[in-house]
Amino acid sequence: MRIFPPTPFNSMSSPSGDLLSKPFLGEPHVISDSHAQQSAVSLFEVWNASRQTAVTGEEGKDANHYHLQPGSPRKCNLLNISLAITILQQTFLDMLLLLWGLNPVRTTVLIFLTLVRGVLPAFRGYSQALILDELQVVVTSGDYASARLGRLVRLILRECCRMLAESLFDTFANHNENIVHSSMRFYVEQRQLEQRLRLDVPTLSDLTVRDVLHESDLFVRSFTGLGFGFGLFSPLDLVRALSSVAELVSQLIILYSASRVSSSAFFTGFFAGPSDNHSVTHLPLLGAVLLPSLLSFIASFLPRLPFSYTNCSTGDALYSSAEAREAERAERMRSMAHAEPFRAEIALFGLAPWILDSWSVARKRILGLEVQQGDLYSGITLGAGLRWLLTQANVSEMLVLLQNLPFFIYSSTTSLGSLALYRNSVHSLLFNVRSLICSFERAFQSIFYMGAFFAAMTIEPRLNPEPGRAVKYESTGKGMKIEARHISYTYPGSTKPTLKDVSFTVEAGETLVVVGYNGSGKTTLSNVLLRIFDFDAPSPDTSAQLLINNIDIRRIAPADYHRHVTALFQVFSKLNTTVRENVGIGELRSQFRDHPIREAAARAGAGRLINSLPRGLDTNLDCVGLGMNAINPNPFMGGNSDSGRQGLSGGEWQRVAISRAFMRAQSADLLLLDEPTSHLDAHAQNNVFETIESICRDPVTGKRTKTVIIITHQLSIAKRADKIAMFENGTITEFGTHEELMSRADSHYASLYRATV
Ligand SMILES: Nc1ncnc2c1ncn2[C@@H]1O[C@H](COP(=O)(O)OP(=O)(O)OP(=O)(O)O)[C@@H](O)[C@H]1O
């Protein structure tokens, strides 16, 4: 049995690969109604158009456009309906085929069983009505003859068998549904995760991309298996809606016939046609039964009052923009209260009241316990009031009285069983109509989230080379030659560049030390050199270029480039896992081999540390982001022993991180270390530098085989480098050897050196 399809990590292929492999069509922009109808428009643009809202300016002339918060419901207006149809045209069939393709047999069985499940209540009602009828005859006639009683017992036994069969059916159907559901959920989650991991930092820093991923995530999370995961609607819920439709139709049939014939003949009565004396009144009576639901359905198109909730059977509300903002704030505050790394700052700065206040204001507004005056008044409209009357004020419920009319009309002419059957059917009918209305509301919003899911899959990482221009990185075995020409870099959302016209050359095998003042742009430069960020496009005045071994870095795929580089980041990750994993992730191929991990750790001066840990490489490290030996995360547990977790000091963590960087040092052409020794004592600092020197030389010939770039504030290290770059205000102001820079009369490097050494 195949439950999960094979999906290779870097492949975007799918059972219906076309849609998921469409390229991302550049920057999203505003589109018009008619535009959205054209099939050439990308899904991304259609999705983006659905979240644009026009707000009229103060004078009533200018219409400002802004984007809805991710997760906010779309209004049910003509534009959104047409956008929803466009999304459905482009995705729905693909989605169904894709999900059906995961488990064709089980999914077909699921659809069939769900339809059958829909008509089971009708049979249940019929069977129980027969028992009631028989009981009525026995009691009213006083005929307790064994034949009569025997028939009653047979009916009861038949009902017991039916109930047993129904529960067996339910068990099998639920089991099948669980398997189908789990495989669908696994699949969409995997696709979402795979795409997130594919995307690079420049792509992820785009706000629109973040929003589309957020809504895509909502779609993925709607595959909960409960049918009302996030107040959303997954394709599997569509199958459930089929069941509601089947139940609705069967109950309608019952209602139509049960009121005029005895329950034992209601099917034949229905098919006999409207020939008897009650037939004329059936349709208006059905109308009376359905009137409350019809009004609720109409109300679902009206706007909602601010901070009022839909009364869907699931109890879930769809967030308005204001609610989504509050929900995000409440969630942020909740996470802060739960996160261990914040604990020290919360205590030190006395943040508890601020966190609690911010959370409670946001949460109260979400729960409708507190509504701001402005929001309340601006949201009260005639439509919203009418909706409230029809849904929240239960006006429609009063009309339920009408449903009892048939009781009075037919009570003297029909059997007890028929009346019970009628009553059950009315309840069941209303429940199903209501759940279908709620499903409709959720389905409408879900279309946009489904659009977001597919749109997210079309995003291509921005750092990937243009098709046809890509070249493979060729290692020379002598290190990496780096030539930066007029490089600038501006952070997204910032108006001023952080790096300005940076130019320098490092020959293969050389060591460059970058020094400078805080905030001058050293780490930013390292991210550009590591191809985490892309430098600004060349302007008419400058021809910005970054050449690696004389090749434009934009022509090399980042994944290919990264295989030849190793780095220590200034802010490195500390994983709540074993030492082995913390170090081993530096070179995944060697993750499970002790020797390379121990060797890298020994070079980074972490050998003694690992030997001193209770379980060596298998010791679990605890990283709540603070100096661990000093602050135990849970003083009542005695963390280090009972929990089997070990805290480390800042310097010890740094050694672990250096070990991680050294894991790949053998195969790398470039070692880039940002503040590698900031937490280390003087001896350790010297050792690390010696180790870097030895790693970079061929053990036989002694020649340099790697290029090294070190960013540091420790100028004693700089002295030993081949070249030094002094960074100030986002650019290199001095470049040369230690001696050259020291000999300059007005050298800032020289004054910094004298101040620190
Ligand atoms: N994510 C960001 N978004 C916008 N601006 C940023 C971001 N990160 C850094 N900057 C800006 O870039 C400037 C340079 O930061 P960078 O981290 O490169 O400095 P640095 O020289 O490494 O500093 P330090 O010596 O303190 O580590 C900072 O002044 C900061 O204002």
Side-chain angles (χ1 to χ4, degrees):
M1 180 182 62
R2 185 170 68 95
I3 299 178
F4 306 126
T7 49
F9 181 77
N10 266 332
S11 133
M12 292 304 290
S13 63
S14 69
S16 136
D18 268 8
L19 230 156
L20 298 185
S21 57
K22 265 191 203 163
F24 175 42
L25 300 182
E27 295 287 320
H29 58 270
V30 181
I31 61 168
S32 67
D33 289 21
S34 57
H35 202 169
Q37 297 303 312
Q38 295 165 18
S39 57
V41 172
S42 77
L43 207 49
F44 200 102
E45 289 170 305
V46 178
W47 167 81
N48 201 32
S50 77
R51 56 194 207 111
Q52 298 208 359
T53 308
V55 191
T56 312
E58 274 182 20
E59 285 89 30
K61 299 180 263 180
D62 320 312
N64 299 320
H65 287 272
Y66 76 94
H67 284 128
L68 290 175
Q69 289 270 113
S72 303
R74 288 4 180 228
K75 281 199 179 123
C76 194
N77 56 27
L78 277 181
L79 171 63
N80 282 340
I81 289 174
S82 76
L83 292 172
I85 292 170
T86 312
I87 292 176
L88 282 180
Q89 280 170 346
Q90 291 195 39
T91 61
F92 195 59
L93 199 59
D94 285 84
M95 189 77 214
L96 288 187
L97 287 177
L98 196 142
L99 297 179
W100 185 79
L102 297 176
N103 261 315
V105 176
R106 281 192 180 276
T107 310
T108 314
V109 171
L110 170 73
I111 294 171
F112 174 72
L113 294 184
T114 312
L115 280 171
V116 172
R117 190 179 254 172
V119 294
L120 286 182
F123 282 102
R124 188 186 314 140
Y126 171 59
S127 166
Q128 287 168 1
L130 287 180
I131 296 174
L132 270 180
D133 274 357
E134 197 58 36
L135 202 61
Q136 186 184 17
V137 171
V138 170
V139 172
T140 51
S141 65
D143 178 7
Y144 296 102
S146 55
R148 202 83 236 180
L149 286 178
R151 184 173 149 73
L152 183 63
V153 169
R154 269 203 309 281
L155 282 175
I156 292 172
L157 283 177
R158 209 168 70 183
E159 173 60 5
C160 291
C161 292
R162 194 202 54 75
M163 280 163 55
L164 188 67
E166 194 177 316
S167 66
L168 284 175
F169 171 88
D170 267 347
T171 309
F172 175 71
N174 286 342
H175 175 68
N176 184 61
E177 190 174 316
N178 274 344
I179 293 179
V180 173
H181 208 279
S182 303
S183 57
M184 285 182 182
R185 183 172 185 178
F186 175 84
Y187 183 74
V188 288
E189 276 181 15
Q190 189 193 34
R191 295 309 300 262
Q192 163 97 341
L193 204 61
E194 195 178 10
Q195 177 65 345
R196 255 189 190 268
L197 291 170
R198 265 184 89 228
L199 298 180
D200 48 40
V201 173
T203 316
L204 287 171
S205 55
D206 183 312
L207 286 181
T208 315
V209 169
R210 280 197 218 178
D211 287 354
V212 80
L213 287 172
H214 187 138
E215 291 214 331
S216 163
D217 199 39
L218 291 181
F219 176 73
V220 169
R221 282 207 262 167
S222 73
F223 283 75
T224 55
L226 301 173
F228 50 87
F230 222 66
L232 302 178
F233 195 82
S234 75
L236 202 84
D237 298 317
L238 194 70
V239 180
R240 284 209 181 86
L242 279 182
S243 160
S244 296
V245 172
E247 194 170 341
L248 197 100
V249 172
S250 58
Q251 301 297 356
L252 272 175
I253 293 173
I254 290 174
L255 275 177
Y256 188 76
S257 52
S259 56
R260 57 187 183 139
V261 290
S262 80
S263 49
S264 58
F266 78 90
F267 278 123
T268 38
F270 176 78
F271 289 113
S275 57
D276 63 16
N277 50 347
H278 302 307
S279 59
V280 189
T281 51
H282 286 161
L283 282 180
L285 284 173
L286 273 184
V289 166
L290 291 173
L291 191 61
S293 304
L294 193 68
L295 288 175
S296 299
F297 181 68
I298 293 168
S300 70
F301 288 96
L302 298 172
R304 279 199 297 147
L305 282 174
F307 297 94
S308 69
Y309 290 85
T310 52
N311 57 353
C312 287
S313 54
T314 62
D316 277 306
L318 293 165
Y319 283 158
S320 70
S321 312
E323 288 164 338
R325 257 197 314 277
E326 297 299 340
E328 194 270 330
R329 184 168 173 78
E331 187 51 35
R332 194 155 22 93
M333 289 301 150
R334 205 187 68 84
S335 312
M336 217 168 157
H338 280 259
E340 296 290 350
F342 286 119
R343 192 56 63 202
E345 277 172 282
I346 290 173
L348 192 76
F349 297 118
L351 299 181
W354 172 72
I355 292 177
L356 201 60
D357 267 13
S358 307
W359 175 83
S360 70
V361 168
R363 198 73 189 111
K364 273 183 184 169
R365 298 194 73 203
I366 293 297
L367 296 175
L369 300 175
E370 189 180 273
V371 180
Q372 278 185 5
Q373 292 287 304
D375 287 334
L376 185 61
Y377 296 140
S378 66
I380 297 178
T381 60
L382 189 64
L386 198 59
R387 179 188 176 125
W388 181 82
L389 268 178
L390 290 176
T391 54
Q392 246 74 353
N394 290 338
V395 165
S396 61
E397 297 296 325
M398 287 196 273
L399 299 169
V400 168
L401 283 175
L402 287 176
Q403 295 159 0
N404 290 321
L405 272 180
F407 269 113
F408 300 112
I409 296 171
Y410 302 128
S411 56
S412 56
T413 55
T414 50
S415 68
L416 195 60
S418 297
L419 288 177
L421 190 59
Y422 170 82
R423 200 79 196 110
N424 283 343
S425 298
V426 166
H427 282 300
S428 168
L429 187 81
L430 290 180
F431 176 79
N432 281 302
V433 171
R434 221 157 253 214
S435 83
L436 279 175
I437 292 169
C438 283
S439 299
F440 173 82
E441 272 193 291
R442 293 206 309 269
F444 183 67
Q445 302 307 328
S446 278
I447 292 172
F448 297 100
Y449 303 148
M450 182 165 73
F453 175 78
F454 278 98
M457 295 298 157
T458 65
I459 302 171
E460 284 299 321
R462 294 196 179 160
L463 294 180
N464 276 359
E466 287 168 29
R469 285 200 76 225
V471 289
K472 215 173 156 346
Y473 177 90
E474 297 289 348
S475 178
T476 59
K478 296 179 190 162
M480 194 182 277
K481 181 182 174 187
I482 301 170
E483 208 175 337
R485 293 187 193 151
H486 311 291
I487 297 289
S488 297
Y489 178 77
T490 311
Y491 277 101
S494 180
T495 47
K496 283 198 275 178
T498 295
L499 294 184
K500 297 165 215 152
D501 199 15
V502 175
S503 299
F504 67 91
T505 302
V506 184
E507 296 298 335
E510 281 187 342
T511 300
L512 169 74
V513 167
V514 182
V515 298
Y517 305 113
N518 286 129
S520 54
K522 302 181 295 296
T523 298
T524 309
L525 175 71
S526 80
N527 282 323
V528 170
L529 295 178
L530 289 172
R531 199 71 179 136
I532 304 294
F533 298 164
D534 194 10
F535 51 94
D536 294 346
S539 69
D541 324 323
T542 59
S543 53
Q545 244 189 343
L546 181 58
L547 300 176
I548 301 296
N549 293 342
N550 300 320
I551 293 171
D552 181 355
I553 199 169
R554 284 183 163 148
R555 299 185 61 191
I556 305 170
D560 183 19
Y561 177 65
H562 290 154
R563 275 192 286 275
H564 299 89
V565 172
T566 190
L568 170 73
F569 292 93
Q570 189 178 25
V571 182
F572 51 83
S573 31
K574 299 171 182 176
L575 310 181
N576 246 330
T577 179
T578 56
V579 182
R580 181 191 304 284
E581 233 171 325
N582 264 291
V583 176
I585 54 168
E587 181 62 292
L588 287 177
R589 281 174 304 181
S590 310
Q591 197 190 357
F592 301 106
R593 288 167 48 215
D594 277 15
H595 179 67
I597 295 177
R598 285 194 184 282
E599 194 180 354
R603 284 180 155 165
R608 273 230 315 262
L609 165 71
I610 290 173
N611 290 336
S612 73
L613 294 174
R615 297 183 59 208
L617 284 178
D618 293 316
T619 308
N620 272 306
L621 298 183
D622 204 338
C623 59
V624 295
L626 302 161
M628 281 309 85
N629 280 345
I631 301 178
N632 192 326
N634 187 345
F636 303 106
M637 277 180 69
N640 290 352
S641 50
D642 291 359
S643 67
R645 292 194 166 268
Q646 174 75 38
L648 296 184
S649 73
E652 287 168 338
W653 265 114
Q654 191 154 37
R655 287 173 198 239
V656 169
I658 298 171
S659 313
R660 185 186 299 165
F662 283 174
M663 281 295 287
R664 208 195 285 192
Q666 291 302 338
S667 59
D669 282 351
L670 170 69
L671 265 80
L672 196 155
L673 309 168
D674 193 350
E675 298 287 359
T677 55
S678 55
H679 288 90
L680 301 188
D681 55 63
H683 286 302
Q685 287 174 21
N686 283 334
N687 288 344
V688 168
F689 201 78
E690 301 292 328
T691 308
I692 293 170
E693 268 292 294
S694 74
I695 287 175
C696 294
R697 287 187 189 276
D698 186 305
V700 183
T701 62
K703 284 190 181 159
R704 290 264 184 85
T705 55
K706 296 169 204 313
T707 302
V708 180
I709 298 179
I710 300 175
I711 297 171
T712 185
H713 289 289
Q714 268 134 15
L715 298 201
S716 54
I717 291 177
K719 198 175 165 184
R720 308 195 208 173
D722 299 313
K723 284 174 182 165
I724 297 163
M726 173 72 192
F727 240 78
E728 282 175 82
N729 280 328
T731 195
I732 296 176
T733 49
E734 293 168 34
F735 193 82
T737 62
H738 175 73
E739 288 70 28
E740 282 167 4
L741 299 189
M742 291 300 286
S743 63
R744 289 188 198 165
D746 55 349
S747 167
H748 285 189
Y749 169 78
S751 69
L752 205 60
Y753 183 81
R754 286 189 203 102
T756 51
V757 177

